[in-house]
Amino acid sequence: MTLLDVTGLTVTGRHLVVDGVDLTVSAGETVGLVGESGSGKSLTARAVAGLLPKGMTATGSVTLSGLRLLGARERVLRSVRGSRIALLMQDPFAMLNPLITAGAHIAESLPRTGPVRRDRAWRRTEVARRLAEVGIDDPSVSGRYPFQLSGGMRQRIALAAALARDPELLIADEPTTALDATTQHEILTLLREVQRARGMGVLLITHDLRVAFEMCDRVAVMYAGRIVESGPGFDVAKVPAHPYTSGLLAALPSATVTLPRLEGIPGSVPSAGDVTGTCAFADRCSQVDADCGHARPPLREITPGRHTACLYEVRPRPRVEQPPAALREPSPGAPLLTIDDLSKRYGEHTALGGVSLSVGEGESVGVVGESGSGKTTLARCVLGLAVPDGGRIELAGLDLTRRGRRGDRAHRLVQCVFQDPSTSLNPSLTVGATLAEAAAQGTREGRLSVPELLDLVGLPASYAERRPRALSGGERQRVAIARALAVRPALLICDEPVASLDVSVQAHVLELLRTVVRDLGTSLLFITHDLAVVRQITNRTVVLLKGKIVEEGKTPQILDTPSHPYTQKLLASVPPTP
């Protein structure tokens, strides 16, 4: 039975952003909506829920079990949201009120009729039942505030609150993007179990293709405001029928093999309004033909249940699965970074409990583990952003653990690239000003000019005049890498640098970092929870658990034949690469 029926959905603000989307979700079915940032996925979901930003309007038809939602009065939409349609967003910390407890969040979301307002005992029992449904059996959790909970626990609370009124449809917008692999696996497993128990429909919006193909019965691929391919998840993954889908799949890193080159799709997603009369993907397509620019290809059925908006049969991109030369035979020089018995505590919590590791000259070392394992604390200690309680850090002969002794040399020796480039770039400065300011901190001999830095990270010289807000997420991350390289550091620390990027942009950034290691001889300390990424970028891997190293060795050995149960658990949590 069709639960959600979307027909001809168009969303317009200052520009056209969603252009004639058709989509259905049946009761008990999970439908994935995938595509790069800017494709229109989240705005499609917001239009379904009647939550479009001010200044945007939607036309077409959206019905839920026959009830027309598009064009309905706000009073009708308010009665539907929460009770019949619920939303689970990417960042649970932003969804939860920091001033009220987990239990209060769920109680606030319970049905507003019946005994909930009058009977406190009933409300406590119901909150406990809802917590148990999302795998939280500890009753004390209901009395904790969001800041006292881990990311995975906050997402469980957000899910319990979303399900409190027993909705027919759950719209989950990137619900696991910010979570580590094991927590992501737990949340997705939980979501699947809850859905089956309730017979609930789920619209899952994600740019993580592994998650989409593992979780979804059907997948719709969205590009420039349109659906360009749809069909059963397994079929779409194995035999993509549109060049865009094929390109996304080819860009996926693998946790089982090291790819010789990570191939992202060139260019970026165009505005839907700029490609209304042509194939939206033509400018980025390796199979483009003269006929592609003449008219907009219709979404046509090629086999029962399979649709594509391409005129031709797609030639899948081959993936040559062998180690690239840069990673096949690592030959690091003398130790550049030496960490010996490093410890750090925050109150009663031990973040690092005697960590020892080294990074050689020209070597790439990965640090993996769940959230809270101590990865970021380790990076902060090396960068001088946290003072260790014990141990020693030595970089190129300089003792970094002695207070007041870091100075300009330490600043030039080590730089960092963080997860979110938008928070690490000054929005008021142009790209050129940002890079020139960074380069001025380096020595005259090793200093790179702004054009040289932009060329190094694959950006045109004209980008020097742009500000961060005029760049895509991938372009901002390239600028952040260029800024970090401006002083020609001996060591580059990358803390989850591709965690929030689309798969195609991620491939471009990882290939760039490979080039930096190979051509500049820069050493890399790469922190991530993504084992597929660590496979592609590092020579050696260190596995952290609760502030201690539980396994270390050459990356292929760690990932192919893990010896520690914790490493085995991490690998088991990685969704298979299609």
Side-chain angles (χ1 to χ4, degrees), residues 36-210:
E36 294 171 281
S37 297
S39 293
K41 306 185 302 294
S42 292
L43 284 173
T44 297
R46 285 180 172 272
V48 168
L51 292 172
L52 283 173
K54 187 177 181 180
M56 286 192 165
T57 57
T59 58
S61 172
V62 177
T63 61
L64 181 71
S65 297
L67 175 64
R68 183 177 178 180
L69 300 181
L70 202 60
R73 294 178 179 273
E74 181 59 26
R75 176 176 55 82
V76 174
L77 293 174
R78 279 200 301 267
S79 70
V80 169
R81 295 188 205 112
S83 60
R84 299 186 66 184
I85 296 179
L87 290 99
L88 182 65
M89 311 305 285
Q90 176 176 341
D91 184 1
F93 202 77
M95 288 177 62
L96 302 177
N97 186 333
L99 301 180
I100 65 175
T101 64
H105 277 99
I106 298 170
E108 189 179 62
S109 301
L110 288 170
R112 300 185 182 279
T113 58
V116 65
R117 290 185 179 274
R118 303 186 300 274
D119 191 333
R120 292 185 179 181
W122 181 90
R123 186 167 54 189
R124 283 195 301 269
T125 301
E126 189 65 9
V127 167
R129 184 176 75 84
R130 302 289 182 167
L131 286 172
E133 185 181 32
V134 295
I136 300 176
D137 296 319
D138 181 359
S140 68
V141 171
S142 65
R144 298 179 195 172
Y145 291 88
F147 73 89
Q148 296 173 311
L149 303 173
S150 67
M153 193 70 81
R154 285 196 292 266
Q155 194 63 293
R156 288 172 185 265
I157 297 299
L159 178 58
L163 298 177
R165 295 192 194 177
D166 304 315
E168 302 167 44
L169 174 70
L170 177 68
I171 300 176
D173 192 353
E174 302 281 6
T176 60
T177 296
L179 304 178
D180 59 63
T182 52
T183 306
Q184 173 182 277
H185 179 72
E186 291 169 0
I187 293 295
L188 292 176
T189 300
L190 170 65
L191 187 56
R192 188 186 293 115
E193 291 172 351
V194 170
Q195 179 197 22
R196 287 173 179 170
R198 290 168 168 254
M200 179 177 62
V202 175
L203 178 60
L204 177 65
I205 297 167
T206 181
H207 66 253
D208 190 328
L209 298 187
R210 290 192 190 88

Side-chain angles (χ1 to χ4, degrees), residues 210 253-257 530-537 559 574 577:
R210 290 192 190 88
S254 170
T256 57
V257 291
D530 191 329
L531 299 184
V533 166
V534 86
R535 178 102 196 201
Q536 308 305 320
I537 200 73
L559 299 186
V574 179
T577 301

